[in-house]
Each structure stands twice: as C-alpha cells, then as structure tokens.
Amino acid sequence: MSPDEDDEIGDVLRRHLRILEALLFASAEPLRASDMASYLGEGVDVAGLLLTLQTQYEGRGVNLVRRGDAWAFRTAEDLGFLLRREEHETRPLSRAALETLSIIAYHQPATRAEIEEVRGVATGKGTLDLLMEAGWVRMRGRRRTPGRPVTYGTTDAFLDHFGLETLLDLPGLDELKGAGLLSGRLPPDLQIPLPFDGSLRDDEDPLDPADLGDPEPEDEET
C-alpha cells in the first residue's frame, strides 16, 4: 500500500471518528451503533470506531461510556463532584416505586404478580406507570402462561442514570450488605438473581398492538 493510500485511509478514519463524536455530543440521549451507521455509509465498522473513540477519550474530563447497547459522553467519574449541585426533586420516588424498580432490575423479566410476590404487597399500576414515564422501566413482552401477563424490564436510560454499562454491573450481595441495604442476618444460601438482558426469553411472546394502550387494570397501591 502506497503512502498516499495510507494517508487516504487515515483521513477517512479521522472523518468517521469526527462524525461519531459530533453525533454523540449533539444527542441528549445515548445512541446505538445502528443509529449512527447511516451517517457513515455502508460497510463501516461502527462498533470498532466507537471503541477507538472510547480509547481516545480515556483519561480525559469527558469519557465515552457504554450503556447497554447505546453509547454516550459522560463526565469522568472522578470529576463528577465538580459539577454536582443541589437539586430538589419535584416528585421523589416513593418507597413502593424504589422497591418495584429494584425488583424489576434484579428479577427481570418480571410480571406484576412476581413483583408483588417479592414485595409481599400489591403493586398499583400507577407505580409501574411512574417508572415507565421516567424511562427506567419498559414493557418487554407477555409471559406464556395463563392470562399472558405483561413482563417488565429496565431500559438503557436506567443504566445511564445509575452509571451501569450492563445489568451485570448491578451491585452484588456483598456490595449491598456493605452499603447497609441488606441485613447482616441473612440466610447463608441467599443469592442475588441474575437478570435477563436479552430481547425476549423463551417463555415470552412479543407485545400485542393493544399493549400500547392500557395493558393491565388500574389498582390502588397497597
């Protein structure tokens, strides 16, 4: 390969990296590789380019991070304190919402009945609606059981908000104990479930068109 060809390839690579950089900086939400592929042309290794760009931003004040299947620029973790400011939540999550979100995160895909079984109380539809409006929970599909209940899972926005690359980065049993979120007097054989992070599990069917409306009846939170 001639020096001129090397220079041409290098120019194309730099252009592609600049395009990805611009798209990611301009987006308010994390972007998937497929979202950016159309800006680069056919046959471009977008995943490889993203890894290259991620390496280039290592050690800087802003890092390129992965959130599930999506990518975003975020302030370096060790500099987050510089940008932190006091913020007042206009509608903080209730204990019921926090418990529901935690159960979905660790047990997904989970149906409403399964969430209630873990919590020990009924879960109002309003709680699930609140979590979906926040963009942290989504309807995944329908369980292949009588009644075909809706299954719920977390979103890339959930990963982004809590600084997780994948669901495998959720705190484990020892971390939860260390943070004081679990009692020290727990059964010795207690295990944290492994959440499913795929599109649909073998016991799930795709959502019905009617699910875009109101898939489950309204109940009061108990």
Side-chain angles (χ1 to χ4, degrees):
M1 185 176 295
S2 69
D4 288 342
E5 289 174 322
D6 283 340
D7 290 342
E8 183 177 349
I9 292 175
D11 289 342
V12 171
L13 174 62
R14 283 188 289 273
R15 175 173 171 76
H16 285 165
L17 289 173
R18 291 182 67 221
I19 291 173
L20 292 179
E21 189 177 34
L23 291 170
L24 289 162
F25 265 116
S27 176
E29 303 293 338
L31 296 175
R32 290 179 168 82
S34 57
D35 299 328
M36 298 176 275
S38 60
Y39 293 90
L40 301 175
E42 295 183 6
V44 177
D45 181 12
V46 182
L49 288 170
L50 287 166
L51 291 175
T52 298
L53 194 60
Q54 184 181 47
T55 300
Q56 291 180 356
Y57 272 85
E58 287 179 356
R60 296 190 183 184
V62 173
N63 299 152
L64 181 60
V65 298
R66 188 169 183 172
R67 298 293 183 250
D69 294 329
W71 296 78
F73 280 114
R74 293 291 181 262
T75 303
E77 289 188 8
D78 61 323
L79 298 178
F81 71 95
L82 294 173
L83 304 179
R84 197 170 293 132
R85 63 171 185 254
E86 291 295 327
E87 295 182 352
H88 299 281
E89 291 284 346
T90 56
R91 189 181 180 186
L93 289 180
S94 65
R95 178 176 178 178
L98 287 171
E99 290 177 353
T100 300
L101 178 61
S102 299
I103 292 167
I104 291 173
Y106 281 96
H107 291 262
Q108 61 187 299
T111 65
R112 184 172 165 185
E114 290 165 347
I115 296 168
E116 292 173 347
E117 182 179 359
V118 175
R119 286 190 65 211
V121 294
T123 298
K125 180 178 175 295
T127 299
L128 289 167
D129 285 344
L130 177 64
L131 294 173
M132 287 192 286
E133 288 171 8
W136 295 347
V137 167
R138 65 185 176 92
M139 293 186 292
R140 290 174 42 88
R142 284 189 175 273
R143 184 66 49 79
R144 292 178 184 172
T145 56
R148 299 183 68 245
V150 170
T151 57
Y152 296 92
T154 53
T155 65
D156 287 347
F158 166 82
L159 296 176
D160 190 32
H161 182 83
F162 291 98
L164 306 172
E165 184 171 318
T166 71
L167 290 174
L168 296 178
D169 295 321
L170 283 167
L173 185 60
D174 291 339
E175 293 172 283
L176 292 172
K177 284 182 180 178
L181 298 176
L182 288 178
S183 169
R185 293 184 293 180
L186 293 169
D189 59 345
L190 177 67
Q191 295 183 348
I192 296 293
L194 184 65
F196 180 77
D197 200 15
S199 54
L200 286 176
R201 213 166 59 176
D202 291 341
D203 61 352
E204 290 179 285
D205 286 323
L207 291 169
D208 300 326
D211 293 328
L212 297 176
D214 191 10
E216 296 185 293
E218 182 81 34
D219 281 338
E220 293 294 331
E221 179 68 25
T222 302

